[in-house]
Amino acid sequence: MWKPEWSAEDRKQIGALVIEIGERVSALQALRKELGLSQVELAKILNMTQSNVSKLEAGRDVRLATLKTLIESRGGHMKVVAEFNGREIELAL
């Protein structure tokens, strides 16, 4: 299974890119492109049609469960963190 090995600088650059891209595209599309997947490949991972992936990407409000499925299919782990005055609380998914 594919697992990225990114340095701290790589993660910083990717984070900046995701923020920049996120202003123009959905989180799902940004993540799919970062992982080098086509819509067809993502559709297979999410057990849906390419057309439905396209519709999801066109929206701004992607379900966390959808992102989690994609991330975990690639060996990753998704974290949701809430920050309050410098204090972080990790939320279970």
Side-chain angles (χ1 to χ4, degrees):
M1 182 173 283
W2 176 79
K3 285 191 176 184
E5 293 184 25
W6 294 321
S7 69
E9 181 61 26
D10 290 339
R11 286 190 298 275
K12 181 179 175 184
Q13 289 177 352
I14 290 168
L17 179 62
V18 167
I19 289 169
E20 180 182 327
I21 291 172
E23 293 174 354
R24 289 177 258 156
V25 298
S26 75
L28 181 62
Q29 183 180 12
L31 184 57
R32 175 182 62 79
K33 288 184 175 186
E34 185 62 39
L35 293 172
L37 297 171
S38 69
Q39 285 186 343
V40 171
E41 292 167 323
L42 178 56
K44 288 179 186 176
I45 290 169
L46 299 177
N47 196 28
M48 62 176 58
T49 66
Q50 177 275 327
S51 175
N52 283 340
V53 169
S54 179
K55 289 174 188 173
L56 280 175
E57 288 186 351
R60 288 295 218 170
D61 191 16
V62 177
R63 291 182 51 197
L64 291 177
T66 301
L67 292 174
K68 184 178 180 195
T69 298
L70 171 57
I71 291 165
E72 289 178 352
S73 77
R74 297 312 228 190
H77 174 75
M78 184 168 148
K79 293 182 182 181
V80 175
V81 177
E83 184 177 335
F84 300 93
N85 297 324
R87 180 174 170 237
E88 293 185 350
I89 302 170
E90 185 174 341
L91 306 173
L93 294 178

